[in-house]
């Protein structure tokens, strides 16, 4: 552990140091999934499609993941204080561009740059935090807090941005992000010493080719997962060329790693069986985790809840995450079998998704969803931290940096796959059910005729003319069909997720060698990432 006054001035109290590091980290965490706080508002503000909103998040993720290994060289070259200042200025400038622009051609590159800057912020601030932690207990708590904050960002963003979106346009959030960096910049200038966390290492022989190949592969993978369904996959030349580019860049990246003396990633990590199992668990977990967005879309499109009410409801999800993170931290500190924690966590997710299949209806009270959201948060909180630590602990300490980078890649791929799966289910499930509903609607169908007459009577009672009431009644019937269509799509997807969870639980239960990996955190292992 570094001396208390090494990084910060001696007169700065410890509690103020912790607050400063938290303030430094929080704006970048909020920026990560900011466009998903309200996808419709983000798309409508600039006239783009919802696919573009998801792609902007995918680009942030690609920048974060691809720059992870290369960033460590910059981390060792610059002093901590000047590095923080440079990062913060980059984030402020990129946020201003995102606030001012209305063009995707400008927004997308700067979202990628924000992802790269996020890597720098996370690595430096968390390394500073970890340099102040002595015991394994403190390090486990550090991991738990960081990953708990990370998985809470989407519901947290829903809550804190609802009032702002209701009063301003969506891009105003980027302006708020700009100003949120100013306190951290001021505190860093006042409190920090101009020292280094490591020996200065010159910036020569940077592996830019590996970074570019890796970044291109990740960006195009995100592109295919986001837009593939809209363009009908390989029927579109853009998807075909993107797939070919991924295969080419991926092959070149692999060949390069096997030939370099100091590779971007040491592929030896894939020789360890539990490492590969941990990677699979993380991908499955992330696919299950992001399925929650269907529930928030259901709140908005079917129940017609405004963003403010949705933000308050999702606070129960954050509460569940906090409780789950605490439970998982206790399990890890007590060296309890990781297999049990995975089974408990996935069982909670299964209860949530199976329960939501029953709860999804055209009309419902808000309080029906408090307990399910709490349960989902419990499951996510219990699974996140142990899964990451398990994957890092599955390899020798000399490979821990590569393990951390691959772990980050698995989380990214889980996010990409979840978008691709939801897009696939949304198109085919909605079209199938809409055609079914449409075929059964005619004046020969007594139910549909009575429904239209009911709408017409309600409208005429409120002063509408007969002509307007007829047109509006038909429109209201179509809206009802769309709501039912969304419910059927949500049920179909949650049935698939429930089946995936059952298979995962069986797989975990049948692999006893999982318990051979001791889930511990040592000083030589990397800080959270």
């Amino acid at each position: 552990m570094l001396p208390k006054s090494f990084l910060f001035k001696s007169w700065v109290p410890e509690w103020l140091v912790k607050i400063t590091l938290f303030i430094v980290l929080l704006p970048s965490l909020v920026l990560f999934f900011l466009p998903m706080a309200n996808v419709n508002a983000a798309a409508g503000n600039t006239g783009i499609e919802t696919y573009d909103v998801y792609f902007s998040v995918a680009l942030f993720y690609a920048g974060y993941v691809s720059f992870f290994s290369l960033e460590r060289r910059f981390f060792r070259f610059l002093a901590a204080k000047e590095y923080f200042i440079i990062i913060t200025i980059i984030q402020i400038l990129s946020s201003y561009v995102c606030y001012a622009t209305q063009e995707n051609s400008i927004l997308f590159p700067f979202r990628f740059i924000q992802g790269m800057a996020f890597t720098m912020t996370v690595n430096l601030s968390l390394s500073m935090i970890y340099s102040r932690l002595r015991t394994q207990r403190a390090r486990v708590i550090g991991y738990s807090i960081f990953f708990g904050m990370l998985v809470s960002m989407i519901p947290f963003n829903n809550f804190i941005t609802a009032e702002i979106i209701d009063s301003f346009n969506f891009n105003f959030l980027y302006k708020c992000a700009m100003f949120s960096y100013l306190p951290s910049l001021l505190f860093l200038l006042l409190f920090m010493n101009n020292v280094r966390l490591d020996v200065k290492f010159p910036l020569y022989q940077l592996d830019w080719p590996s970074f570019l190949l890796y970044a291109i592969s990740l960006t195009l993978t995100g592109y295919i997962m986001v837009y593939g369904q809209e363009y009908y996959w390989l029927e579109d030349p853009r998807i075909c060329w993107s797939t070919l580019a991924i295969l080419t860049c991926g092959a070149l990246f692999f060949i390069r790693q096997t030939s370099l003396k100091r590779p971007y990633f040491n592929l030896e990590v894939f020789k360890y069986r539990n490492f590969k199992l941990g990677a699979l668990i993380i991908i499955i977990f992330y696919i299950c985790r992001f399925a929650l967005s269907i529930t928030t879309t259901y709140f908005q499109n079917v129940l017609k809840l405004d963003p403010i009410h949705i933000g308050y409801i999702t606070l129960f999800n954050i509460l569940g995450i906090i409780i789950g993170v605490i439970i998982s931290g206790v399990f890890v500190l007590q060296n309890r079998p990781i297999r049990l924690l995975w089974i408990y966590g996935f069982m909670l997710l299964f209860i949530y998704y199976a329960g939501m299949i029953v709860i999804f209806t055209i009309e419902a009270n808000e309080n029906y969803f408090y307990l399910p959201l709490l349960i989902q948060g419990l499951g996510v909180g219990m699974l996140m931290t142990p899964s990451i630590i398990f994957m890092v602990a599955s390899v020798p300490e000399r490979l821990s940096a590569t393990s951390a980078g691959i772990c980050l890649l698995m989380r990214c791929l889980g996010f990409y796959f979840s978008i691709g799966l939801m897009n696939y289910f949304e198109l085919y499930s909605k079209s199938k059910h809409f055609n079914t509903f449409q075929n059964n609607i005619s004046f020969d169908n007594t139910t549909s005729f009575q429904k239209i007459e009911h709408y017409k009577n309600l409208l005429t009672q409120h002063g509408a003319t007969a002509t307007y009431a007829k047109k509006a009644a038909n429109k209201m019937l179509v809206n009802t069909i769309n709501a039912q269509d969304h419910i059927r799509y949500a049920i179909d997807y949650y049935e698939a997720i429930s089946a995936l969870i059952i298979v995962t639980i069986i797989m975990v239960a049948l692999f006893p060698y999982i318990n051979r990996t001791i889930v511990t955190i040592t000083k030589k292992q990397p800080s959270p990432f």
Side-chain angles (χ1 to χ4, degrees):
M1 179 179 176
L2 296 173
K4 181 179 178 181
S5 60
F6 178 74
L7 289 169
F8 289 83
K9 298 184 186 300
S10 57
W11 55 267
V12 181
E14 185 67 20
W15 61 266
L16 187 55
V17 171
K18 294 176 181 177
I19 291 175
T20 300
L21 293 174
F22 177 79
I23 292 174
V24 168
L25 192 58
L26 185 60
S28 296
L29 286 170
V30 171
L31 269 180
F32 200 149
F33 294 107
L34 186 62
M36 293 177 64
N38 192 318
V39 176
N40 292 333
N45 182 61
T46 53
I48 61 177
E49 298 183 15
T50 54
Y51 293 106
D52 298 326
V53 177
Y54 286 111
F55 188 55
S56 69
V57 179
L59 282 170
F60 191 105
Y61 228 138
Y64 175 28
V65 175
S66 60
F67 195 57
F68 175 78
S69 295
L70 191 65
E71 185 274 339
R72 291 179 177 273
R73 292 290 302 276
F74 294 91
F75 175 82
R76 297 181 65 182
F77 177 72
L78 296 169
K81 183 176 181 178
E82 61 184 352
Y83 196 38
F84 257 139
I85 293 171
I86 291 171
I87 297 168
T88 307
I89 291 173
I90 291 173
Q91 290 284 34
I92 292 173
L93 292 176
S94 61
S95 296
Y96 174 77
V97 173
C98 293
Y99 161 71
T101 187
Q102 299 288 322
E103 299 293 332
N104 281 345
S105 58
I106 298 174
L107 174 66
F108 288 164
F110 277 89
R111 283 291 293 174
F112 185 88
I113 292 171
Q114 284 182 337
M116 294 173 63
F118 179 70
T119 309
M120 301 160 77
T121 304
V122 168
N123 280 346
L124 182 55
S125 58
L126 291 173
S127 295
M128 293 172 64
I129 293 172
Y130 263 57
S131 67
R132 313 177 77 82
L133 302 179
R134 290 194 181 96
T135 63
Q136 182 191 349
R137 177 176 176 273
R139 288 189 289 272
V140 169
I141 293 173
Y143 265 81
S144 300
I145 291 174
F146 172 70
F147 288 119
M149 290 171 60
L150 189 60
V151 295
S152 298
M153 276 303 107
I154 293 179
F156 179 74
N157 285 352
N158 290 340
F159 175 70
I160 66 169
T161 62
E163 294 278 0
I164 299 173
I165 294 174
D166 191 53
S167 304
F168 303 94
N169 63 42
F170 185 86
N171 273 23
F172 186 78
L173 294 176
Y174 287 110
K175 190 174 184 179
C176 295
M178 290 167 50
F179 287 103
S180 68
Y181 279 104
L182 296 180
S184 62
L185 185 60
L186 178 62
F187 288 166
L188 292 171
L189 289 171
L190 291 176
F191 300 155
M192 283 192 68
N193 296 316
N194 195 28
V195 296
R196 300 177 183 276
L197 287 173
D198 208 337
V199 178
K200 184 176 181 179
F201 198 86
L203 288 177
Y204 65 88
Q205 295 182 344
L206 291 175
D207 195 3
W208 289 108
S210 292
F211 165 72
L212 290 175
L213 291 171
Y214 193 32
I216 291 170
S217 299
L218 282 175
T219 300
L220 291 178
T221 301
Y223 177 81
I224 290 175
M225 289 295 103
V226 172
Y227 295 103
Q229 190 64 63
E230 184 182 20
Y231 298 151
Y232 296 98
W233 300 105
L234 294 177
E235 294 181 18
D236 190 279
R238 288 169 291 189
I239 303 299
C240 289
W241 284 110
S242 296
T243 304
L244 181 61
I246 292 171
L247 294 175
T248 303
C249 292
L252 291 174
F253 181 80
F254 177 80
I255 294 170
R256 184 173 176 81
Q257 303 318 298
T258 56
S259 60
L260 287 176
K261 182 179 179 181
R262 297 181 181 86
Y264 210 67
F265 287 134
N266 190 334
L267 300 182
E268 187 184 343
V269 293
F270 290 102
K271 294 181 180 179
Y272 297 89
R273 182 169 53 179
N274 275 5
F275 178 81
K276 292 181 283 189
L277 177 63
L280 178 61
I281 291 292
I282 288 176
I283 289 179
I284 294 172
F285 165 62
Y286 260 62
I287 291 174
C288 298
R289 173 201 165 194
F290 283 104
L292 179 66
S293 62
I294 293 179
T295 300
T296 55
T297 306
Y298 163 77
F299 291 156
Q300 187 173 11
N301 295 344
V302 178
L303 299 185
K304 305 299 180 182
L305 297 178
D306 60 87
I308 297 174
H309 278 84
I310 295 174
Y312 284 120
I313 293 173
T314 52
L315 286 178
F316 285 89
N317 189 246
I318 297 176
L319 177 61
I321 290 172
I322 294 171
I323 298 172
V325 163
I326 294 172
I327 294 172
S328 67
V330 172
F331 262 71
V332 172
L333 289 173
Q334 293 180 347
N335 293 324
R336 300 289 297 276
I338 189 67
R339 196 164 49 147
L340 288 178
L341 199 55
W342 277 347
I343 291 173
Y344 296 156
F346 278 112
M347 280 295 296
L348 287 169
L349 290 184
F350 175 78
I351 292 170
Y352 168 75
Y353 289 114
M356 289 301 295
I357 292 172
V358 179
I359 297 177
F360 279 136
T361 54
I362 196 71
E363 294 180 352
N365 293 329
E366 295 176 17
N367 54 10
Y368 293 175
F369 303 98
Y370 295 162
L371 182 60
L373 288 174
L374 181 70
I375 292 173
Q376 199 271 353
L378 272 171
V380 169
M382 290 179 67
L383 289 169
M384 183 67 176
T385 305
S387 300
I388 302 296
I389 300 176
F390 176 85
M391 195 168 170
V392 175
S394 297
V395 299
E397 289 182 357
R398 62 185 176 83
L399 299 174
S400 58
T402 295
S403 176
I406 298 296
C407 181
L408 186 53
L409 171 63
M410 294 303 108
R411 286 154 52 196
C412 177
L413 292 179
F415 172 68
Y416 287 172
F417 293 159
S418 69
I419 293 177
L421 286 171
M422 284 189 287
N423 288 343
Y424 174 82
F425 270 82
E426 185 173 20
L427 179 65
Y428 283 102
S429 182
K430 281 190 174 182
S431 60
K432 180 184 70 174
H433 293 300
F434 186 84
N435 291 333
T436 302
F437 289 134
Q438 194 176 41
N439 292 334
N440 288 300
I441 292 177
S442 65
F443 284 100
D444 296 330
N445 187 313
T446 306
T447 303
S448 60
F449 178 76
Q450 290 175 347
K451 198 70 173 177
I452 292 174
E453 290 298 314
H454 173 68
Y455 288 145
K456 286 169 64 177
N457 291 333
L458 285 177
L459 291 166
T460 53
Q461 288 174 11
H462 287 79
T465 63
T467 304
Y468 176 81
K470 182 178 179 180
K471 293 180 180 179
N474 291 329
K475 178 65 175 176
M476 292 172 70
L477 182 63
V478 171
N479 290 338
T480 302
I481 295 171
N482 288 333
Q484 291 284 2
D485 198 26
H486 184 85
I487 290 173
R488 286 306 313 173
Y489 148 65
I491 290 173
D492 290 346
Y493 190 74
Y494 278 12
E495 286 175 347
I497 292 294
S498 299
L500 176 64
I501 292 173
I502 291 174
V503 172
T504 304
I505 293 173
I506 294 173
M507 177 185 69
V508 171
L510 294 179
F511 286 168
Y513 62 79
I514 292 173
N515 290 336
R516 296 176 188 172
T517 295
I518 301 174
V519 183
T520 58
I521 303 176
T522 65
K523 292 182 179 180
K524 294 183 180 180
Q525 287 174 342
S527 58
F529 32 86

